[in-house]
Amino acid sequence: MAFRASILLPARRLVLQHSLTRSFHLRPLFTFRNAPIPYPTIDVCPPSTCACTPTPPGLDINHKLPLAGTKPPYAQHIVICTGRDDWPSRIENDEDPNLAKELKGLIGPKGQFHDPSRPILVTNASFPTPAPQPSPTASAYLFPAFQHVPHIDLSPSGLAHFVRSAVLAAPTHTHQSPDLPPPTTHALTAPVILICGHGGRDKRCGILGPLLQAEFHRALEESSTPNSAGAQVALVSHIGGHKFAGNVIVYLPPGFRVDGEVAPLAGQGVWYGRVEPSHVEGIVAETVGRGRVVRELVRGWTEWEGGNAGG
């Protein structure tokens, strides 16, 4: 089934045919400040019903600038599992083996697979690393494919194969080879919540990130919504907008349902900013539970048409 993604970017369109599980078209767009949100919404985050961890004082969070429209225009997101919760300011300067460094060398501005019309966000995450293998491997989550790749060969040929067969899996893409077999993947069927906790880059996210992570774990565990079952939460490296900490991305899988029906937010992602511990219970209840975007916190959203496929 055709699958189109739009992330609001001015007057530019791109197409990417995905071969892992289904096809989709990607149209990265900026979330314009006054653009209508194409999903169910709620204006204000509901107050927490419990005594949450207070937000630490003196973090210099920007509460003056509007949040809407501050989401960067990424077409894809690669989330690398590192088993750690903090990294150097530039993750490509981390210790070896360094998948982020290798990927940025391949798909970054000077890389052989770079495509400026398809901006790709690469972040590290606190998800656990794969079990040891005879040769060095890494693992990653891919969005909007909603796939977990448990083993990525870190040899030069293995990395090039991963990029061409999974990240740039498009028959019309100049760097893709149609006969390349895709890597082994596992479909993500539960929500994935990513929180910027990159203290090595900015202390605001480094302080707020772990607090929000703990609150999300608590709220998901205590939530009565069936959508909370199996939800994953991780800290990630820089996603942009430290001044709007806490920064949170909520990815909802293609089979995401509300009241038994596949929801409009299925297969999509919502970027939130200025999230405090007192907001977490409301985000779990409204976005994870009811498929609604919280307007007062939203930085942007994805519009991957066909994201409901497979529900």
Side-chain angles (χ1 to χ4, degrees):
M1 182 172 181
F3 188 87
R4 179 180 300 163
S6 10
I7 316 172
L8 292 168
L9 197 146
R12 187 166 70 182
R13 187 165 185 164
L14 59 90
V15 175
L16 181 128
Q17 183 82 18
H18 201 283
S19 64
L20 287 179
T21 55
R22 58 190 179 275
S23 63
F24 56 84
H25 298 288
L26 285 176
R27 190 174 38 156
L29 309 163
F30 272 118
T31 305
F32 291 119
R33 199 159 283 167
N34 297 319
I37 300 175
Y39 306 114
T41 64
I42 181 172
D43 288 338
V44 178
C45 192
S48 178
T49 61
C50 66
C52 302
T53 303
T55 300
L59 290 183
D60 192 24
I61 306 301
N62 188 304
H63 287 275
K64 295 181 179 179
L65 293 176
L67 283 174
T70 63
K71 174 193 172 295
Y74 294 115
Q76 292 172 272
H77 189 182
I78 303 174
V79 181
I80 301 169
C81 306
T82 71
R84 296 161 49 196
D85 57 12
D86 201 11
W87 310 270
S89 178
R90 302 286 180 182
I91 59 175
E92 58 268 30
N93 295 334
D94 206 352
E95 61 191 34
D96 291 329
N98 188 331
L99 179 55
K101 176 182 177 180
E102 300 301 332
L103 285 177
K104 290 189 176 187
L106 291 170
I107 62 178
K110 297 182 180 180
Q112 68 181 109
F113 301 123
H114 176 62
D115 185 342
S117 70
R118 293 182 172 92
I120 300 174
L121 174 63
V122 177
T123 59
N124 281 345
S126 60
F127 290 127
T129 55
Q133 300 291 311
S135 58
T137 64
S139 64
Y141 289 33
L142 305 179
F143 299 96
F146 283 87
Q147 296 284 340
H148 174 220
V149 185
H151 297 291
I152 302 168
D153 180 0
L154 293 179
S155 68
S157 61
L159 286 169
H161 178 276
F162 167 69
V163 170
R164 296 176 71 185
S165 66
V167 180
L168 307 178
T172 58
H173 197 288
T174 56
H175 299 305
Q176 196 266 357
S177 296
D179 56 347
L180 281 177
T184 299
T185 63
H186 300 151
L188 299 174
T189 59
V192 176
I193 300 171
L194 306 176
I195 307 158
C196 185
H198 199 169
R201 184 72 174 255
D202 188 284
K203 71 175 185 179
R204 290 166 289 192
C205 286
I207 292 172
L208 269 176
L211 298 180
L212 294 175
Q213 182 185 35
E215 285 294 334
F216 270 107
H217 279 304
R218 181 197 61 76
L220 288 166
E221 184 177 343
E222 296 177 1
S223 173
S224 60
T225 173
N227 289 329
S228 297
Q232 300 185 65
V233 182
L235 297 178
V236 296
S237 58
H238 182 57
I239 60 174
H242 286 307
K243 62 187 174 185
F244 300 126
N247 287 297
V248 175
I249 305 173
V250 181
Y251 284 122
L252 300 170
F256 176 72
R257 292 175 178 268
V258 174
D259 296 329
E261 300 291 333
V262 176
L265 268 180
Q268 317 295 339
V270 181
W271 287 50
Y272 287 128
R274 294 200 283 251
V275 177
E276 300 182 9
S278 60
H279 294 130
V280 169
E281 185 179 309
I283 291 174
V284 169
E286 292 299 329
T287 304
V288 177
R290 300 182 179 93
R292 299 202 289 188
V293 175
V294 181
R295 283 184 176 273
E296 69 166 332
L297 302 174
V298 69
R299 293 184 59 192
W301 57 89
T302 61
E303 292 181 62
W304 293 318
E305 290 181 20
N308 302 355

